[in-house]
Amino acid sequence: MSEVTLVQAIEVLLVEDDPGDVLMTKEAFEEHKVGNRLHVVSDGVEALRFLRREGEYAEAPQPHLVLLDLNLPRKDGREVLEEVKKDESLSHIPVVVLTTSEAEEDIIRSYRLHANAYVAKPVDFEQFIQVVRQIDDFFVSVVRLPNN
């Protein structure tokens, strides 16, 4: 008797200011998964407004996963991570830092701020797509996420 596993679509918030990286992430999601919904904001202030469902984001779904760049305009990704993890209503949402920085200090600080993972963005297009797919696979197929 074979067991069928139903994979529920998840809401993913991408916080990224580089249009090229946004496009590549969208492509990775579109090619790889049917049901996962990717929402995109381009700075830290908008990320927190989305997560807190403020203003035009009042009807936004609470994401099951956040992909967070560190180097953002208006509010740095490190500050966003810190605020998310200190907010009782948001702290349960896994945050994967997806950034170009390979600086040890950024890695250490991100984990001290309770990032769930730290991934350096590959420069190569195909490798970037593969990394995004692996993150998506892990959080959709392997990890058990809370129902929001």
Side-chain angles (χ1 to χ4, degrees), residues 56-118:
E56 72 263 33
Y57 302 112
E59 300 299 316
Q62 187 172 74
H64 298 92
L65 174 65
V66 175
L67 302 177
L68 177 67
D69 188 18
L70 290 182
N71 303 309
L72 297 167
R74 298 192 345 160
K75 188 179 281 273
D76 186 75
R78 296 156 195 85
E79 294 172 84
V80 172
L81 177 60
E82 185 171 15
E83 285 192 44
V84 166
K85 292 303 181 177
K86 283 184 175 177
D87 186 325
E88 223 176 90
S89 67
L90 302 174
S91 62
H92 68 281
I93 302 171
V95 177
V96 174
V97 173
L98 183 61
T99 186
T100 54
S101 174
E102 295 190 44
E104 189 68 16
E105 62 204 41
D106 282 336
I107 297 168
I108 291 168
R109 184 169 178 204
S110 294
Y111 281 117
R112 283 191 177 143
L113 293 172
H114 306 289
N116 296 84
Y118 189 102

